[in-house]
Amino acid sequence: QYLATANAIATRATASLATLTGCTTEDEACARSVIERLGRRAYRRPLTSEESASLLEVYRTGATLEDHRTGIQ
C-alpha cells in the first residue's frame, strides 16, 4: 500500500515536469540540478558528493529503464 501511494504521489508531482525541475531540457544536466536543489531541501544541508552520485545513479536507472520522467520520479 505504501508503494502504491508513493507511486501515485510521484506521478502527480511530475505531471508538470518543467515546473518541478525548472529545466528546459530533459537530460542528465537537468537531473543533476534537481538532485542538488531538492537534495538540499530534503537533507536540510548540502549533499555530499557520494549522496549526489548515489541519487544520480537512481536517476540513470529510471531513465534507462523508461525515460527522463521516470528517472526524476
Side-chain angles (χ1 to χ4, degrees):
Q1 181 178 355
Y2 291 118
L3 181 58
T5 301
N7 284 333
I9 290 169
T11 299
R12 276 185 273 148
T14 59
S16 177
L17 201 55
T19 301
L20 174 70
T21 64
C23 298
T24 57
T25 60
E26 294 186 353
D27 57 13
E28 193 167 298
C30 174
R32 286 180 189 274
S33 171
V34 171
I35 288 168
E36 293 304 317
R37 187 170 42 85
L38 295 182
R40 179 182 288 270
R41 292 179 70 189
Y43 287 67
R44 296 183 184 190
R45 60 173 171 72
L47 298 177
T48 65
S49 58
E50 291 84 12
E51 290 165 337
S52 292
S54 177
L55 291 170
L56 187 58
E57 220 22 68
V58 171
Y59 163 79
R60 287 177 180 148
T61 299
T64 299
L65 292 174
E66 292 288 330
D67 56 15
H68 176 73
R69 179 181 307 278
T70 301
I72 295 293
Q73 286 178 342

